[in-house]
């Protein structure tokens, strides 16, 4: 297991980005780049991450970044990989697509699926702040039930799309979930993914203070609660083999999980959640962990 002393001192994001204070995504990106290192090319669709990079003429990162139209993240990564292959640089330089949940679960899903089906040699990272945040909080396929957004003023009624599960059935060599609240877990998973060939997919739960309605100082607390309540399990699927990550292991035991209410009541976006919706969370979490238990036993 990685410890804090293993982290490289080198930073690949310059200080003073345009992300909000307490942004989970900014922390995720910083840790991911530490693991990926300088020989990396990133492609990013429209999102808060585009904004983090700055206005035209500036770039807050030390690695090359391509800004691509919303639907084309997987396709643009495929193009970069093809050009590196033509120059025999594909072993040396790692291509990484970094997109939000809207750009992944809805708008970019077809080009991502195409790239995964072709086995394109790249990492696709989805930072999941559970809505279209950059345009003012609209619901996405990844918004959880009961959450307020400007397009679900009474709370979303559908479940969150299981994007890691969708990528898993593409038969790719590596799928993982992680969280902004577990920086070492992020580092470890990106580092591992860098050394695997083929399409690798990492889905990262990324709390967002203005979009979720909590104080910026509480980003880590909120992110941890998602894991501690069992709502967001951390795991890897390597060559089809499921492995629960260390930080989620103890939540196999339901008595160790914190009540989901602890997570929901700390966020303004769940202000109007009903008792029936909370009950639905209880069923969702039990079903999720029953499936995890079965996968571990098999
Ligand atoms: C084709 C297209 N449609 C809509 C937009 C407007 N737009 C820019 S960023 C964004 C939200 C992206 O949401 P997500 O992918 O979840 O990333 P986040 O902003 O949450 O980081 C939208 C709708 C756009 N740039 N291009
Ligand atoms: S709106 Fe949310 S995701 Fe976007 S920069 Fe601000 S904190 Fe980060
Ligand atoms: Mg989003």
């Amino acid at each position: 297991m990685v410890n804090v002393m293993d982290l490289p001192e080198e930073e690949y994001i310059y200080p003073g980005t345009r992300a909000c204070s307490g942004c989970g995504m900014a922390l995720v990106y910083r840790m991911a780049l530490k693991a990926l290192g300088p020989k990396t090319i990133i492609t990013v669709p429209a999102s808060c991450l585009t904004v983090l990079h700055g206005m035209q003429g500036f770039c807050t990162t030390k690695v090359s970044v391509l800004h691509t139209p919303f639907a084309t993240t997987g396709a643009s990564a495929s193009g970069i990989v093809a050009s590196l292959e033509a120059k025999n640089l594909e072993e040396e330089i790692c291509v990484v697509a970094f997109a939000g949940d809207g750009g992944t679960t809805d708008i970019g899903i077809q080009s991502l699926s195409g790239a995964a089906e072709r086995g394109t040699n790249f990492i696709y990272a989805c930072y999941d702040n559970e809505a279209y945040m950059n345009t003012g909080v609209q619901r996405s396929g990844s918004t959880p039930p009961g959450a307020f957004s400007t397009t679900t003023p009474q709370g979303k009624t559908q479940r969150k799309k299981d994007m890691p599960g969708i990528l898993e059935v593409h038969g790719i060599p590596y799928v993982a979930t992680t969280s902004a609240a577990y920086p070492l877990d992020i580092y470890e998973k990106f580092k591992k993914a860098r050394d695997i060939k083929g399409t690798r997919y990492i889905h990262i739960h990324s709390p967002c203070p203005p979009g979720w309605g909590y104080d910026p100082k509480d980003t880590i607390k909120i992110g941890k609660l998602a894991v501690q309540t069992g709502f967001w399990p951390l795991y890897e699927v390597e060559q089809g083999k499921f492995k629960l990550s260390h930080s989620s292991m103890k939540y196999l035991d339901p008595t160790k999980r914190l009540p989901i209410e602890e997570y929901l009541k700390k966020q303004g976006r769940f202000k109007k959640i009903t008792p029936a919706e909370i009950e639905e969370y209880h069923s969702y979490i039990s079903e999720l962990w029953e499936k995890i238990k079965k996968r571990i036993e098999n």
Side-chain angles (χ1 to χ4, degrees), residues 9-259:
E9 280 186 34
E10 180 81 30
E11 298 289 348
Y12 295 95
I13 309 185
Y14 294 107
T17 75
R18 287 159 62 92
C20 312
S21 59
C23 175
M25 169 273 283
L27 174 57
V28 167
Y29 198 43
R30 177 179 171 221
M31 296 311 295
L33 289 183
K34 274 182 185 281
L36 293 164
K39 293 195 170 181
T40 301
I41 299 177
I42 312 270
T43 174
V44 182
S47 58
C48 284
L49 185 53
T50 333
V51 175
L52 174 141
H53 287 105
M55 307 281 266
Q56 189 177 3
F58 296 90
C59 188
T60 40
T61 58
K62 292 183 195 169
V63 298
S64 298
V65 179
L66 173 78
H67 291 288
T68 191
F70 229 150
T72 60
T73 316
S76 73
S78 304
I80 300 168
V81 170
S83 69
L84 291 174
E85 281 169 356
K87 292 176 183 229
N88 286 325
L89 287 171
E90 76 275 16
E91 300 286 336
E92 206 182 315
I93 299 175
C94 185
V95 178
V96 183
F98 234 105
D101 51 294
T104 302
T105 65
D106 305 329
I107 297 174
I109 193 168
Q110 96 294 21
S111 67
L112 165 59
S113 173
E117 186 269 332
R118 292 189 296 276
T120 305
N121 189 24
F122 81 126
I123 299 175
Y124 189 108
C126 170
Y127 68 91
D128 188 359
N129 53 24
E130 300 186 325
Y132 290 78
M133 292 309 181
N134 184 40
T135 40
V137 198
Q138 293 82 32
R139 62 87 90 185
S140 79
S142 210
T143 303
F148 166 89
S149 73
T150 52
T151 47
T152 55
Q154 296 304 320
K156 190 185 167 191
T157 49
Q158 298 85 4
R159 283 186 176 186
K160 207 172 151 66
K161 195 184 277 190
D162 176 15
M163 201 62 198
I166 291 171
L167 265 293
E168 204 190 318
V169 294
H170 283 71
I172 60 176
Y174 188 71
V175 174
T177 62
T178 183
S179 154
Y182 296 79
L184 297 179
D185 191 71
I186 299 173
Y187 179 82
E188 201 166 5
K189 286 172 179 167
F190 273 87
K191 195 133 189 77
K192 184 187 273 189
R194 201 188 194 289
D195 294 334
I196 298 172
K197 231 178 136 42
T199 305
R200 296 86 90 193
Y201 179 80
I202 305 180
H203 196 110
I204 314 125
H205 192 248
S206 302
C208 162
W212 295 13
Y214 68 84
D215 196 292
K217 72 173 170 37
D218 291 332
T219 290
I220 300 297
K221 197 184 281 175
I222 298 284
K224 283 204 165 155
L225 278 169
V227 173
Q228 291 162 341
T229 53
F231 174 68
W232 187 253
L234 308 185
Y235 65 84
E236 295 171 289
V237 185
E238 226 179 318
Q239 307 294 353
K241 199 163 168 35
F242 181 90
K243 186 175 153 216
L244 199 55
S245 305
H246 173 76
S247 304
S248 276
M249 202 61 97
K250 74 176 197 191
Y251 306 115
L252 260 177
D253 174 354
T255 65
K256 296 282 192 307
R257 289 176 218 150
L258 294 178

